[in-house]
Amino acid sequence: EAGVTQFPSHSVIEKGQTVTLRCDPISGHDNLYWYRRVMGKEIKFLLHFVKESKQDESGMPNNRFLAERTGGTYSTLKVQPAELEDSGVYFCASSPSPYDETQYFGPGTRLLVL
Amino acid sequence: DQQVKQNSPSLSVQEGRISILNCDYTNSMFDYFLWYKKYPAEGPTFLISISSIKDKNEDGRFTVFLNKSAKHLSLHIVPSQPGDSAVYFCAASAGYQLIWGAGTKLIIKP
């Protein structure tokens, strides 16, 4: 069974540009989560999808971040326009049930904004 | 305000000895605690968990202890092996959202 995949693995962009990160969850997992880790600090929750619906987006930093999950399959996280402080590793995770505390993580996308 | 704290950024342990990683939390509403292990350039992988109704959970070489009165949990690895070298994250759950610590880098010395 394929795990959670994320694309791209790395992205280097200039301040003001747009970047779109993609996450493909484990097949059949209705729950999809986005997290971010900045500069070796703690991993922080961004948002949670149940199928195509945003269940909780309380962790989204500001309106420059837009997450979508059309059709309830893969998800995209767009940052527009990117700022220096957006640099970090963006992890996606999925789980079959919101009550399954074991979330399966992708390898992350390393974003560097110059 | 950091609700889950791992105060040791790194820990070095001799191969074969016990590794003890610590985690403190502030929110008494947390009902489930997890440890994740992370290798460089990979996402975190689930290691072991414990419900707040228990004080110990064991899985092979890994044991997690929970002290609710002290709001403290620890992960014991016995015996430590070279492949255990990684960053270990403590996470707490109150529902579906995981609150994470900053991680402890464990280095197993030969």
Short mmCIF file of all heavy atoms in Angstrom, two decimals, chain A residues 8-52:
data_model
loop_
_atom_site.label_atom_id
_atom_site.label_comp_id
_atom_site.label_asym_id
_atom_site.label_seq_id
_atom_site.Cartn_x
_atom_site.Cartn_y
_atom_site.Cartn_z
N PRO A 8 6.15 19.32 -4.44
CA PRO A 8 7.50 18.80 -4.66
C PRO A 8 8.17 18.45 -3.32
O PRO A 8 7.64 18.78 -2.27
CB PRO A 8 8.20 19.97 -5.33
CG PRO A 8 7.54 21.18 -4.73
CD PRO A 8 6.09 20.79 -4.52
N SER A 9 9.33 17.88 -3.39
CA SER A 9 10.06 17.59 -2.16
C SER A 9 10.75 18.86 -1.65
O SER A 9 10.91 19.04 -0.45
CB SER A 9 11.10 16.49 -2.39
OG SER A 9 12.02 16.88 -3.39
N HIS A 10 11.17 19.71 -2.58
CA HIS A 10 11.81 20.98 -2.24
C HIS A 10 11.27 22.07 -3.16
O HIS A 10 10.96 21.80 -4.32
CB HIS A 10 13.33 20.91 -2.43
CG HIS A 10 14.03 19.96 -1.53
ND1 HIS A 10 14.06 18.61 -1.75
CD2 HIS A 10 14.72 20.18 -0.37
CE1 HIS A 10 14.75 18.04 -0.78
NE2 HIS A 10 15.16 18.95 0.05
N SER A 11 11.21 23.28 -2.64
CA SER A 11 10.85 24.42 -3.47
C SER A 11 11.57 25.65 -2.96
O SER A 11 11.52 25.95 -1.76
CB SER A 11 9.33 24.63 -3.45
OG SER A 11 8.97 25.71 -4.28
N VAL A 12 12.24 26.34 -3.86
CA VAL A 12 12.91 27.59 -3.52
C VAL A 12 12.30 28.68 -4.37
O VAL A 12 12.33 28.61 -5.61
CB VAL A 12 14.43 27.51 -3.78
CG1 VAL A 12 15.09 28.84 -3.38
CG2 VAL A 12 15.05 26.36 -3.01
N ILE A 13 11.71 29.67 -3.74
CA ILE A 13 11.04 30.75 -4.48
C ILE A 13 11.44 32.08 -3.89
O ILE A 13 11.99 32.16 -2.79
CB ILE A 13 9.50 30.59 -4.46
CG1 ILE A 13 8.98 30.65 -3.01
CG2 ILE A 13 9.08 29.31 -5.14
CD1 ILE A 13 7.46 30.69 -2.92
N GLU A 14 11.13 33.12 -4.61
CA GLU A 14 11.41 34.46 -4.12
C GLU A 14 10.18 35.03 -3.44
O GLU A 14 9.04 34.67 -3.75
CB GLU A 14 11.85 35.37 -5.28
CG GLU A 14 13.20 34.97 -5.85
CD GLU A 14 13.71 35.97 -6.88
OE1 GLU A 14 12.95 36.86 -7.26
OE2 GLU A 14 14.88 35.83 -7.29
N LYS A 15 10.44 35.90 -2.50
CA LYS A 15 9.35 36.59 -1.81
C LYS A 15 8.41 37.20 -2.83
O LYS A 15 8.84 37.81 -3.81
CB LYS A 15 9.96 37.68 -0.91
CG LYS A 15 8.95 38.55 -0.22
CD LYS A 15 9.66 39.63 0.59
CE LYS A 15 8.65 40.62 1.15
NZ LYS A 15 9.28 41.70 1.92
N GLY A 16 7.11 37.02 -2.61
CA GLY A 16 6.11 37.58 -3.50
C GLY A 16 5.60 36.60 -4.55
O GLY A 16 4.56 36.84 -5.17
N GLN A 17 6.34 35.52 -4.74
CA GLN A 17 5.89 34.52 -5.70
C GLN A 17 4.85 33.60 -5.07
O GLN A 17 4.56 33.67 -3.88
CB GLN A 17 7.09 33.70 -6.20
CG GLN A 17 8.01 34.48 -7.12
CD GLN A 17 9.10 33.61 -7.73
OE1 GLN A 17 9.68 32.74 -7.06
NE2 GLN A 17 9.42 33.84 -9.00
N THR A 18 4.30 32.75 -5.93
CA THR A 18 3.27 31.80 -5.51
C THR A 18 3.83 30.39 -5.56
O THR A 18 4.59 30.04 -6.47
CB THR A 18 2.04 31.90 -6.43
OG1 THR A 18 1.49 33.20 -6.32
CG2 THR A 18 0.99 30.85 -6.06
N VAL A 19 3.46 29.59 -4.58
CA VAL A 19 3.88 28.19 -4.59
C VAL A 19 2.67 27.33 -4.23
O VAL A 19 1.84 27.72 -3.40
CB VAL A 19 5.05 27.93 -3.61
CG1 VAL A 19 4.63 28.21 -2.17
CG2 VAL A 19 5.56 26.50 -3.74
N THR A 20 2.56 26.20 -4.89
CA THR A 20 1.47 25.25 -4.60
C THR A 20 2.07 23.91 -4.23
O THR A 20 2.84 23.34 -5.00
CB THR A 20 0.54 25.10 -5.82
OG1 THR A 20 -0.02 26.37 -6.13
CG2 THR A 20 -0.59 24.13 -5.50
N LEU A 21 1.70 23.44 -3.06
CA LEU A 21 2.16 22.14 -2.57
C LEU A 21 1.03 21.14 -2.74
O LEU A 21 -0.14 21.47 -2.56
CB LEU A 21 2.54 22.24 -1.09
CG LEU A 21 3.41 23.44 -0.68
CD1 LEU A 21 3.70 23.39 0.82
CD2 LEU A 21 4.67 23.50 -1.49
N ARG A 22 1.42 19.91 -3.05
CA ARG A 22 0.39 18.89 -3.26
C ARG A 22 0.61 17.73 -2.30
O ARG A 22 1.75 17.35 -2.00
CB ARG A 22 0.42 18.39 -4.70
CG ARG A 22 -0.50 17.19 -4.93
CD ARG A 22 -0.64 16.81 -6.37
NE ARG A 22 -1.34 15.53 -6.51
CZ ARG A 22 -2.18 15.24 -7.49
NH1 ARG A 22 -2.42 16.12 -8.45
NH2 ARG A 22 -2.76 14.06 -7.54
N CYS A 23 -0.49 17.15 -1.88
CA CYS A 23 -0.45 15.98 -0.99
C CYS A 23 -1.43 14.94 -1.51
O CYS A 23 -2.60 15.24 -1.75
CB CYS A 23 -0.83 16.37 0.43
SG CYS A 23 -1.14 14.95 1.53
N ASP A 24 -0.95 13.71 -1.65
CA ASP A 24 -1.81 12.58 -1.96
C ASP A 24 -1.88 11.68 -0.74
O ASP A 24 -0.86 11.06 -0.38
CB ASP A 24 -1.28 11.82 -3.18
CG ASP A 24 -1.50 12.57 -4.47
OD1 ASP A 24 -0.73 13.51 -4.75
OD2 ASP A 24 -2.47 12.24 -5.17
N PRO A 25 -3.03 11.58 -0.12
CA PRO A 25 -3.13 10.77 1.10
C PRO A 25 -3.16 9.29 0.75
O PRO A 25 -3.22 8.91 -0.42
CB PRO A 25 -4.46 11.20 1.70
CG PRO A 25 -5.29 11.56 0.50
CD PRO A 25 -4.33 12.14 -0.49
N ILE A 26 -3.14 8.46 1.77
CA ILE A 26 -3.31 7.03 1.59
C ILE A 26 -4.73 6.79 1.07
O ILE A 26 -5.69 7.39 1.57
CB ILE A 26 -3.07 6.28 2.90
CG1 ILE A 26 -1.58 6.39 3.28
CG2 ILE A 26 -3.48 4.81 2.80
CD1 ILE A 26 -1.24 5.84 4.66
N SER A 27 -4.84 5.94 0.08
CA SER A 27 -6.14 5.67 -0.53
C SER A 27 -7.15 5.22 0.52
O SER A 27 -6.86 4.34 1.34
CB SER A 27 -5.98 4.58 -1.60
OG SER A 27 -7.22 4.25 -2.17
N GLY A 28 -8.31 5.85 0.49
CA GLY A 28 -9.37 5.47 1.43
C GLY A 28 -9.37 6.27 2.72
O GLY A 28 -10.30 6.16 3.51
N HIS A 29 -8.34 7.09 2.92
CA HIS A 29 -8.29 7.92 4.13
C HIS A 29 -9.09 9.20 3.89
O HIS A 29 -8.70 10.04 3.07
CB HIS A 29 -6.84 8.27 4.49
CG HIS A 29 -6.11 7.15 5.15
ND1 HIS A 29 -4.90 7.34 5.81
CD2 HIS A 29 -6.41 5.85 5.30
CE1 HIS A 29 -4.50 6.19 6.30
NE2 HIS A 29 -5.39 5.26 6.00
N ASP A 30 -10.18 9.34 4.63
CA ASP A 30 -11.02 10.53 4.47
C ASP A 30 -10.41 11.76 5.12
O ASP A 30 -10.71 12.88 4.75
CB ASP A 30 -12.41 10.28 5.09
CG ASP A 30 -13.25 9.34 4.24
OD1 ASP A 30 -12.95 9.17 3.04
OD2 ASP A 30 -14.23 8.79 4.78
N ASN A 31 -9.56 11.53 6.12
CA ASN A 31 -9.02 12.65 6.90
C ASN A 31 -7.63 13.04 6.43
O ASN A 31 -6.76 12.18 6.30
CB ASN A 31 -8.97 12.28 8.38
CG ASN A 31 -10.36 12.10 8.94
OD1 ASN A 31 -10.99 13.04 9.41
ND2 ASN A 31 -10.88 10.88 8.85
N LEU A 32 -7.47 14.29 6.14
CA LEU A 32 -6.20 14.80 5.65
C LEU A 32 -5.84 16.04 6.45
O LEU A 32 -6.68 16.90 6.71
CB LEU A 32 -6.32 15.14 4.15
CG LEU A 32 -5.03 15.52 3.42
CD1 LEU A 32 -5.11 15.07 1.96
CD2 LEU A 32 -4.72 17.00 3.52
N TYR A 33 -4.59 16.12 6.85
CA TYR A 33 -4.11 17.19 7.71
C TYR A 33 -2.89 17.85 7.08
O TYR A 33 -2.06 17.18 6.47
CB TYR A 33 -3.69 16.65 9.09
CG TYR A 33 -4.67 15.70 9.72
CD1 TYR A 33 -4.71 14.36 9.36
CD2 TYR A 33 -5.56 16.14 10.71
CE1 TYR A 33 -5.61 13.48 9.93
CE2 TYR A 33 -6.45 15.25 11.30
CZ TYR A 33 -6.47 13.93 10.91
OH TYR A 33 -7.35 13.06 11.50
N TRP A 34 -2.77 19.13 7.28
CA TRP A 34 -1.54 19.86 6.91
C TRP A 34 -0.90 20.39 8.19
O TRP A 34 -1.59 20.92 9.08
CB TRP A 34 -1.85 21.02 5.98
CG TRP A 34 -2.10 20.64 4.55
CD1 TRP A 34 -3.31 20.49 3.93
CD2 TRP A 34 -1.12 20.40 3.54
NE1 TRP A 34 -3.14 20.16 2.62
CE2 TRP A 34 -1.81 20.10 2.34
CE3 TRP A 34 0.28 20.40 3.52
CZ2 TRP A 34 -1.15 19.81 1.14
CZ3 TRP A 34 0.94 20.12 2.33
CH2 TRP A 34 0.22 19.83 1.15
N TYR A 35 0.43 20.24 8.24
CA TYR A 35 1.22 20.75 9.36
C TYR A 35 2.42 21.50 8.79
O TYR A 35 2.81 21.33 7.65
CB TYR A 35 1.77 19.60 10.22
CG TYR A 35 0.74 18.81 10.99
CD1 TYR A 35 0.13 17.69 10.42
CD2 TYR A 35 0.41 19.14 12.29
CE1 TYR A 35 -0.79 16.94 11.14
CE2 TYR A 35 -0.52 18.40 13.02
CZ TYR A 35 -1.09 17.30 12.43
OH TYR A 35 -2.01 16.56 13.15
N ARG A 36 3.01 22.32 9.65
CA ARG A 36 4.23 23.03 9.23
C ARG A 36 5.24 23.02 10.38
O ARG A 36 4.87 23.19 11.55
CB ARG A 36 3.89 24.49 8.86
CG ARG A 36 5.11 25.31 8.48
CD ARG A 36 4.70 26.66 7.95
NE ARG A 36 4.22 27.56 8.98
CZ ARG A 36 3.96 28.86 8.76
NH1 ARG A 36 4.14 29.37 7.56
NH2 ARG A 36 3.54 29.62 9.74
N ARG A 37 6.50 22.84 10.02
CA ARG A 37 7.58 22.94 11.01
C ARG A 37 8.53 24.03 10.53
O ARG A 37 9.07 23.95 9.42
CB ARG A 37 8.33 21.61 11.16
CG ARG A 37 9.32 21.65 12.33
CD ARG A 37 10.09 20.36 12.46
NE ARG A 37 10.89 20.37 13.69
CZ ARG A 37 12.02 19.72 13.84
NH1 ARG A 37 12.51 18.99 12.85
NH2 ARG A 37 12.68 19.78 14.98
N VAL A 38 8.71 25.02 11.36
CA VAL A 38 9.55 26.17 11.01
C VAL A 38 10.84 26.13 11.80
O VAL A 38 10.81 26.01 13.03
CB VAL A 38 8.81 27.49 11.28
CG1 VAL A 38 9.72 28.68 11.03
CG2 VAL A 38 7.56 27.59 10.42
N MET A 39 11.96 26.19 11.12
CA MET A 39 13.29 26.38 11.74
C MET A 39 13.55 25.45 12.93
O MET A 39 14.01 25.90 13.97
CB MET A 39 13.45 27.83 12.20
CG MET A 39 13.59 28.81 11.07
SD MET A 39 15.16 28.64 10.22
CE MET A 39 16.29 29.26 11.47
N GLY A 40 13.25 24.17 12.81
CA GLY A 40 13.56 23.21 13.85
C GLY A 40 12.69 23.33 15.09
O GLY A 40 12.99 22.73 16.12
N LYS A 41 11.62 24.09 14.98
CA LYS A 41 10.72 24.22 16.13
C LYS A 41 9.66 23.14 16.08
O LYS A 41 9.77 22.17 15.34
CB LYS A 41 10.09 25.62 16.11
CG LYS A 41 11.10 26.73 16.33
CD LYS A 41 10.41 28.06 16.46
CE LYS A 41 11.43 29.15 16.75
NZ LYS A 41 10.79 30.49 16.87
N GLU A 42 8.63 23.29 16.93
CA GLU A 42 7.60 22.26 16.98
C GLU A 42 6.79 22.24 15.68
O GLU A 42 6.70 23.24 14.96
CB GLU A 42 6.68 22.45 18.18
CG GLU A 42 5.76 23.65 18.11
CD GLU A 42 6.38 24.92 18.64
OE1 GLU A 42 7.63 24.98 18.76
OE2 GLU A 42 5.63 25.85 18.94
N ILE A 43 6.23 21.07 15.42
CA ILE A 43 5.34 20.93 14.27
C ILE A 43 3.99 21.54 14.65
O ILE A 43 3.44 21.23 15.71
CB ILE A 43 5.18 19.44 13.91
CG1 ILE A 43 6.54 18.84 13.51
CG2 ILE A 43 4.17 19.26 12.79
CD1 ILE A 43 6.53 17.33 13.35
N LYS A 44 3.48 22.39 13.78
CA LYS A 44 2.21 23.07 14.10
C LYS A 44 1.12 22.68 13.13
O LYS A 44 1.32 22.64 11.92
CB LYS A 44 2.40 24.58 14.10
CG LYS A 44 3.20 25.08 15.30
CD LYS A 44 3.00 26.56 15.54
CE LYS A 44 3.63 26.97 16.86
NZ LYS A 44 3.47 28.39 17.15
N PHE A 45 -0.05 22.45 13.68
CA PHE A 45 -1.24 22.11 12.91
C PHE A 45 -1.67 23.31 12.07
O PHE A 45 -1.68 24.44 12.54
CB PHE A 45 -2.35 21.71 13.88
CG PHE A 45 -3.72 21.59 13.28
CD1 PHE A 45 -4.10 20.41 12.67
CD2 PHE A 45 -4.62 22.63 13.36
CE1 PHE A 45 -5.38 20.29 12.12
CE2 PHE A 45 -5.90 22.52 12.82
CZ PHE A 45 -6.27 21.33 12.20
N LEU A 46 -2.03 23.04 10.82
CA LEU A 46 -2.57 24.09 9.95
C LEU A 46 -4.06 23.89 9.73
O LEU A 46 -4.85 24.78 10.03
CB LEU A 46 -1.84 24.11 8.61
CG LEU A 46 -0.35 24.47 8.63
CD1 LEU A 46 0.23 24.42 7.22
CD2 LEU A 46 -0.14 25.84 9.25
N LEU A 47 -4.42 22.72 9.17
CA LEU A 47 -5.84 22.47 8.97
C LEU A 47 -6.13 20.99 8.77
O LEU A 47 -5.24 20.19 8.58
CB LEU A 47 -6.39 23.28 7.79
CG LEU A 47 -6.30 22.71 6.37
CD1 LEU A 47 -7.33 23.38 5.50
CD2 LEU A 47 -4.93 22.84 5.82
N HIS A 48 -7.41 20.68 8.81
CA HIS A 48 -7.90 19.32 8.74
C HIS A 48 -9.08 19.25 7.78
O HIS A 48 -10.03 20.03 7.91
CB HIS A 48 -8.33 18.87 10.15
CG HIS A 48 -9.10 17.59 10.21
ND1 HIS A 48 -10.12 17.38 11.11
CD2 HIS A 48 -8.99 16.43 9.51
CE1 HIS A 48 -10.60 16.15 10.96
NE2 HIS A 48 -9.93 15.57 10.00
N PHE A 49 -8.98 18.32 6.81
CA PHE A 49 -10.07 18.05 5.89
C PHE A 49 -10.74 16.73 6.28
O PHE A 49 -10.06 15.76 6.64
CB PHE A 49 -9.56 17.86 4.46
CG PHE A 49 -9.25 19.12 3.73
CD1 PHE A 49 -7.93 19.55 3.61
CD2 PHE A 49 -10.24 19.86 3.12
CE1 PHE A 49 -7.62 20.70 2.90
CE2 PHE A 49 -9.94 21.01 2.41
CZ PHE A 49 -8.62 21.43 2.31
N VAL A 50 -12.05 16.68 6.18
CA VAL A 50 -12.75 15.42 6.15
C VAL A 50 -13.38 15.33 4.76
O VAL A 50 -14.25 16.13 4.42
CB VAL A 50 -13.85 15.33 7.23
CG1 VAL A 50 -14.60 14.00 7.09
CG2 VAL A 50 -13.25 15.48 8.61
N LYS A 51 -12.89 14.41 4.00
CA LYS A 51 -13.22 14.34 2.57
C LYS A 51 -12.89 15.71 1.95
O LYS A 51 -11.78 16.20 2.08
CB LYS A 51 -14.66 13.92 2.38
CG LYS A 51 -14.92 12.49 2.88
CD LYS A 51 -16.32 12.00 2.57
CE LYS A 51 -16.50 10.58 3.11
NZ LYS A 51 -17.86 10.05 2.88
N GLU A 52 -13.85 16.34 1.30
CA GLU A 52 -13.53 17.62 0.65
C GLU A 52 -13.81 18.83 1.53
O GLU A 52 -13.54 19.97 1.14
CB GLU A 52 -14.29 17.74 -0.67
CG GLU A 52 -15.79 17.88 -0.53
CD GLU A 52 -16.49 16.54 -0.43
OE1 GLU A 52 -15.81 15.50 -0.25
OE2 GLU A 52 -17.73 16.52 -0.52
#
